[in-house]
Amino acid sequence: MDLSGRLASMPMAELLHRVQEESRSGVLVVRRSRCEKRVYMSEGRVVACSSDDPAEFYGQYLLLHGHLDQRTLMHCLTICKREGRRLAPVLEDEGVLPRDTIQSTLRQQITDLVCGLFLWKHGIYMFLTEVPPIEESLHAPLDISSIILEGSRWVEEHNRFRHVLIHDGLVPRRGRNWPGRRLPPAQQQVASAVDGEISLQVLHAFVKGPHFRFLEATYRLWEMGVLEVDPDSGELQDSTTMEISLFEIFLDQVAEEQILHARHHLPVPLEIMERSVPVWVIEPEDADLVQHKPWARRFLLRLDGTRRLGELLATSGDQRSRELGLLIRQLRDGAVALLPSPLQDHEAIADPRRVPQSQRWWRRVFRGPVEI
């Protein structure tokens, strides 16, 4: 039986319960405007989960909870990039973490990723046949019933946090008991970054990790008097809540189908987009690229202004959908532009007309590794 639709019509607890009852094996893909999560299932139990939000990557989880430092993580990520491997086996081979610790931290990180979905009010879901990444799969799957209980607790706790941390524009300041004593790593990171000037939104961008865990650490610090929060400080911020963006409108519009199957139904048909040429306006840093999965890095590196989007997208529906989601996020952030033709075509037209270099607008805007 097909399993796809909108979260607004089937909450996460009900969705996972159905997967458990039907003993499904595959991947539950859940998307909203800024993030996609893939929950891998085996006979109705969770064996792995991934998120394309860099703040929720496994490496960031290890940093947040004090299992390794930034230098060690970057060293291991460099090996991952060079050898095309995943982080977990590299950590074990390099002697950074023992196998038991890797499995226990993966177990908690996967639980956090799935529980975070209980806080999503908008988005779509679909169940696909896909094999999980073996290197970062759990040896002992997670029981759905336990996850539902934990996810429900997250919802209740999140509501309690928001009675104090009412929005992410609030500016926390150091309290009477700052900097605190024997704080857990996550709380230490939050407390040390507070200076009375930056908002919760900026603070989370610095600390990273699941937004719930960040709010949890900040709330505990407030309870202990390590931090103080003035409800009138800062400006109301909605950007970290469950707002619907352009991409999410697209997804809700097609609801139970993948983007590939809705080419003629989007406000801008994909046939038109596929004729355009994507090119970086702001070149990504190596540190940003290494946080992405190999398929995403390969796709992003091909956005060089020389080929049309239709030539860059994968032919398989699932992969094509993921690449489109990644591209739309870059467009939303203003990091990528869509041109009507390749950059070299502009040069071919400008040369015979003897257009001065200073008047070739594409040279003023698009710099970096693009060769013309």
Side-chain angles (χ1 to χ4, degrees):
M1 183 182 297
D2 181 52
L3 184 59
S4 59
R6 295 183 296 171
L7 289 178
S9 60
M10 183 176 287
M12 186 52 54
E14 183 179 344
L15 180 57
L16 290 176
H17 182 68
R18 179 174 171 182
V19 171
Q20 181 187 42
E21 280 192 331
E22 298 176 1
S23 297
R24 287 181 176 253
S25 296
V27 58
L28 177 64
V29 182
V30 189
R31 297 176 182 155
R32 66 176 184 181
S33 58
R34 297 192 175 192
C35 187
E36 173 186 287
K37 294 188 181 184
R38 307 175 77 82
V39 186
Y40 294 91
M41 319 291 295
S42 176
E43 298 181 349
R45 295 185 296 172
V46 176
V47 294
C49 184
S50 64
S51 168
D52 62 2
D53 181 356
E56 294 186 322
F57 287 178
Y58 180 49
Q60 292 298 336
Y61 173 88
L62 295 175
L63 281 178
L64 181 66
H65 294 280
H67 294 285
L68 45 70
D69 55 32
Q70 183 74 45
R71 183 176 180 180
T72 303
L73 176 60
M74 290 307 299
H75 169 71
C76 292
L77 289 176
T78 300
I79 296 174
C80 291
K81 180 180 180 180
R82 183 177 65 242
E83 301 179 2
R85 303 171 63 195
R86 301 185 72 87
L87 181 58
V90 170
L91 290 170
E92 182 178 354
D93 292 347
E94 291 294 305
V96 177
L97 294 175
R99 181 176 301 180
D100 290 346
T101 300
I102 291 173
Q103 277 292 305
S104 63
T105 52
L106 275 175
R107 191 176 188 85
Q108 186 57 59
Q109 187 238 0
I110 290 170
T111 300
D112 283 5
L113 288 178
V114 180
C115 288
L117 291 170
F118 283 72
L119 304 177
W120 289 20
K121 297 178 181 178
H122 301 286
I124 68 163
Y125 63 85
M126 62 188 75
F127 201 91
L128 306 173
T129 302
E130 186 173 322
V131 178
I134 297 176
E135 300 92 338
E136 294 183 4
S137 297
L138 296 174
H139 296 160
L142 296 172
D143 179 65
I144 291 292
S145 299
S146 299
I147 290 180
I148 291 176
L149 288 175
E150 180 66 5
S152 300
R153 185 188 71 83
W154 275 42
V155 174
E156 294 178 0
E157 287 287 278
H158 185 267
N159 292 336
R160 187 157 66 95
F161 301 158
R162 283 306 193 186
H163 283 301
V164 176
L165 309 172
I166 54 178
H167 62 79
D168 285 355
L170 293 180
V171 178
R173 60 177 182 269
R174 297 170 180 176
R176 63 186 183 279
N177 295 327
W178 190 89
R181 294 184 178 181
R182 298 180 180 178
L183 299 175
Q187 293 180 18
Q188 286 181 351
Q189 293 189 44
V190 172
S192 63
V194 168
D195 60 4
E197 297 182 1
I198 60 176
S199 67
L200 292 175
Q201 183 178 14
V202 176
L203 192 60
H204 178 237
F206 174 77
V207 176
K208 296 185 175 62
H211 194 251
F212 174 87
R213 290 300 185 193
F214 165 75
L215 290 179
E216 181 182 48
T218 307
Y219 183 85
R220 302 300 180 215
L221 292 171
W222 171 80
E223 284 186 318
M224 294 184 292
V226 176
L227 298 182
E228 295 179 357
V229 178
D230 181 358
D232 296 323
S233 66
E235 298 180 357
L236 180 63
Q237 297 287 330
D238 294 326
S239 60
T240 57
T241 59
M242 310 302 178
E243 83 288 358
I244 302 179
S245 73
L246 178 62
F247 182 41
E248 193 165 287
I249 292 174
F250 285 175
L251 293 177
D252 275 347
Q253 187 173 2
V254 301
E256 299 183 5
E257 298 185 25
Q258 298 182 47
I259 294 177
L260 179 63
H261 299 151
R263 296 161 64 98
H264 300 284
H265 304 287
L266 297 179
V268 179
L270 287 184
E271 290 93 339
I272 296 177
M273 290 185 64
E274 288 174 356
R275 291 199 295 268
S276 64
V277 179
V279 61
W280 287 103
V281 178
I282 303 174
E283 291 290 335
E285 301 288 341
D286 289 342
D288 296 327
L289 287 173
V290 77
Q291 295 287 336
H292 288 283
K293 296 180 180 179
W295 70 264
R297 289 199 300 271
R298 289 193 295 269
F299 178 72
L300 293 175
L301 289 172
R302 297 174 70 192
L303 307 183
D304 58 4
T306 65
R307 287 165 289 187
R308 298 187 185 277
L309 179 60
E311 302 173 32
L312 302 177
L313 293 173
T315 56
S316 66
D318 185 47
Q319 180 63 19
R320 189 185 188 94
S321 178
R322 287 194 288 176
E323 290 173 349
L324 278 171
L326 182 60
L327 175 65
I328 290 175
R329 284 192 291 277
Q330 302 302 325
L331 290 170
R332 182 203 64 217
D333 295 338
V336 168
L338 295 179
L339 302 181
S341 57
L343 289 172
Q344 57 264 34
D345 289 2
H346 294 288
E347 290 290 317
I349 295 173
D351 285 339
R353 296 179 179 178
R354 298 182 179 179
V355 178
Q357 296 291 326
S358 60
Q359 295 181 18
R360 300 187 183 193
W361 58 268
W362 56 91
R363 286 185 174 270
R364 298 196 303 269
V365 177
F366 306 111
R367 298 187 176 92
V370 177
E371 295 291 339
I372 300 176

